[in-house]
Amino acid sequence: MILINLLPPELRKRQSGVSPMFISVVAGGGACALLLLLWLYLIWIRIPNADRLIAAKGEELKVKTAQAEEVLKLEKQIAEAKDRYEQIVGMMTRKVYWARTIDEFATLLNGPFTIPNFDVRSQSLTITEASAVPGSRRATPSGAGGRSGNEPTKVAFKVNWRYKLLGKERPLAGDYMKSLFDTIKASKFWSEQGFTGRPEDSYEGDTPRPNLDINRVIIEGQLDWERVKVVEARARK
């Protein structure tokens, strides 16, 4: 029996050389192979590399942590050394520094003065540390404005002296005070110990009063002075 396709050529079913089923199978297999390769890449390459990177970063973190602890220890030691340095400076400025000065002042009060016939007695001597001196390391932090940490430290002190002057003649009371100021100003005690200004700058006058029991005129008052000490700083490594 012979079959004859009587349909027009454009409606006739055309035969393909490749089966659609075969194409689907090949495409599916290729996709699976690609996924398998990607999975193997992640398991054998990416994940081991990530593990090694995590381990390396962990070791680096341990090293950095140890270094940071060492830096903190050094900073603590530096702070303690600085505190000890400040304490030593404080002891020197408050005790040893003043011992010679007070001795010179006591010697000065024994005379001789520029005129005779009067004596000076010290009622009290109060010494307090003043605020930071402009230009010192206390006034300007180290490193600010290009200053070096090795520059000298300037320490200022306020001195309050209460005195009693006993003279023989009432009319010479003013001369006694002038002689006292001139003697102090001309002494090494004043000129070489860092006192600022003049001895009489804080003098506000007085009221001499006679004492008939001892046949003396008495002048009492107080003076405020400022003394600046320059402490040479040692270079720190």
Side-chain angles (χ1 to χ4, degrees), residues 87-211:
Q87 291 173 3
I88 292 172
V89 171
M91 292 175 61
M92 185 274 293
T93 54
R94 290 175 176 84
K95 294 182 180 179
V96 179
Y97 172 61
W98 282 100
R100 179 180 176 184
T101 303
I102 294 175
D103 181 68
E104 290 180 354
F105 184 58
T107 302
L108 172 65
L109 296 182
N110 291 328
F113 299 102
T114 56
I115 62 174
N117 299 327
F118 75 92
D119 298 313
V120 180
R121 299 290 182 266
S122 180
Q123 302 288 82
S124 67
L125 185 67
T126 305
I127 302 168
T128 57
E129 186 173 354
S131 58
V133 178
S136 71
R137 287 193 302 155
R138 297 187 180 188
T140 304
S142 176
R147 291 180 58 83
S148 169
N150 295 329
E151 292 191 12
T153 299
K154 293 182 181 179
V155 184
F157 294 90
K158 294 292 185 182
V159 180
N160 177 266
W161 178 46
R162 293 183 63 250
Y163 62 87
K164 177 185 287 188
L165 187 149
L166 295 87
K168 288 186 177 181
E169 301 181 40
R170 170 66 178 82
L172 296 179
D175 294 333
Y176 294 150
M177 291 303 302
K178 185 178 185 304
S179 176
L180 173 63
F181 291 139
D182 290 343
T183 302
I184 294 176
K185 184 163 51 178
S187 67
K188 290 184 178 181
F189 159 78
W190 186 267
S191 61
E192 297 182 1
Q193 296 298 329
F195 287 96
T196 61
R198 300 176 303 172
E200 65 269 24
D201 283 345
S202 61
Y203 178 62
E204 297 180 351
D206 54 71
T207 304
R209 55 184 178 84
N211 188 318

